[in-house]
Amino acid sequence: MKVTIVGCSGSYPGPDSPASCYLLESDGFRMLLDLGSGSLGALQRHIGLYDVDAICLSHLHADHCLDICGYHVARTYGPEAPYPTVPVYAPADAPARLAAAYGMPEEPGLETAFEFVPLTAGSYEIGPFTLTAGLVNHPVEAYGFRVTNGARSVAYSGDTGESGELVRLAAGVDLLLCEASFVEGPDLPPDLHLTGRQAAQHAAKAGVGRLVLTHLVPWNDQVTVLDEASGGGYDGPFELARSGAVYDLA
């Protein structure tokens, strides 16, 4: 399994990265975890525009899903359109919400380009991958993911506050992509985001092989995020996410 960080900026695109998007590849199959603001452009540095086989949306905040609208244009009006529909695993209200964001009626909505599959807690066979989704702690319906392919595995927090479900999803994975949106401070709101320290604590409890801190909000000092992670009790390798970084889990 190969994992490419297409976008890792939190809340909105930053100067060095689009918002959340992660490309997972195995056996010629290409699956995206999230397709957030600005990520469609950067994605084309790694694969062809029409080479996506499946998309999984952790939740429906714009920084995790909004480039579905632009991708609908590409797949509906591109030079060899119509292209085959792409399955999109997402919360049940995704078709209506994303059609509204695009500015079109719910019917026919975006379903000329996408086949929406309502996402619930549970496991899905998607190409060569087994994806397990679990509800995490965020103000909207939001999922963390565990993706396995043979003996290799990766977990993705999506957006979450402290979450026992994330620890369960990430247990023993080779790679944990964990959000670290907050820096330590007084009165941080619960059930919203994690600090670097909290991300490392989740990684330690789950016994992951490597931790990558992601969903990095541009106004934060990222050196501080990394320093705070060092106090979370995780003794494996950890680092900040970077757009374009590739992890080969061979």
Side-chain angles (χ1 to χ4, degrees):
M1 189 191 326
K2 184 170 79 168
V3 179
T4 301
I5 298 178
V6 179
C8 55
S9 185
S11 299
Y12 59 94
D16 300 314
S17 175
S20 297
C21 182
Y22 306 87
L23 169 63
L24 277 58
E25 300 176 81
S26 182
D27 301 331
F29 191 92
R30 300 175 175 96
M31 181 171 75
L32 300 180
L33 305 183
D34 287 341
L35 190 59
S37 313
S39 61
L40 183 62
L43 176 64
Q44 295 169 72
R45 300 172 187 162
H46 306 286
I47 62 173
L49 182 60
Y50 301 104
D51 291 341
V52 176
D53 296 299
I55 301 170
C56 303
L57 300 180
S58 65
H59 64 293
L60 298 180
H61 282 156
D63 58 322
H64 292 259
C65 69
L66 194 59
D67 271 23
I68 284 281
C69 295
Y71 200 31
H72 175 267
V73 173
R75 297 195 71 90
T76 303
Y77 304 108
E80 297 181 19
Y83 297 86
T85 55
V86 175
V88 177
Y89 297 78
D93 56 346
R97 292 275 301 278
L98 291 167
Y102 185 95
M104 66 189 304
E106 291 185 25
E107 297 293 339
L110 306 184
E111 287 158 301
T112 55
F114 306 113
E115 178 187 354
F116 287 94
V117 180
L119 189 64
T120 59
S123 294
Y124 303 81
E125 300 299 322
I126 307 174
F129 301 114
T130 299
L131 179 138
T132 302
L135 282 165
V136 292
N137 295 324
H138 203 53
V140 300
E141 180 184 0
Y143 294 90
F145 297 137
R146 180 190 182 99
V147 181
T148 59
N149 173 239
R152 300 304 178 187
S153 55
V154 59
Y156 170 49
S157 68
D159 281 8
T160 185
E162 293 185 283
S163 170
E165 180 65 8
L166 176 58
V167 174
R168 185 186 73 83
L169 290 169
V173 297
D174 298 289
L175 176 67
L176 170 59
L177 302 165
C178 190
E179 77 121 277
S181 307
F182 284 157
V183 294
E184 300 286 342
D187 302 321
L188 291 177
D191 297 333
L192 183 59
H193 291 299
L194 298 172
T195 65
R197 177 184 58 79
Q198 291 169 329
Q201 289 174 336
H202 284 69
K205 290 176 182 177
V208 309
R210 177 180 292 271
L211 168 64
V212 175
L213 303 165
T214 192
H215 203 263
L216 304 172
V217 179
W219 60 57
N220 286 339
D221 178 357
Q222 304 310 330
V223 173
T224 299
V225 174
L226 193 63
D227 286 346
E228 290 180 351
S230 67
Y234 175 65
D235 58 7
F238 63 95
E239 63 205 68
L240 297 174
R242 176 180 57 83
S243 179
V246 176
Y247 299 87
D248 191 348
L249 305 183

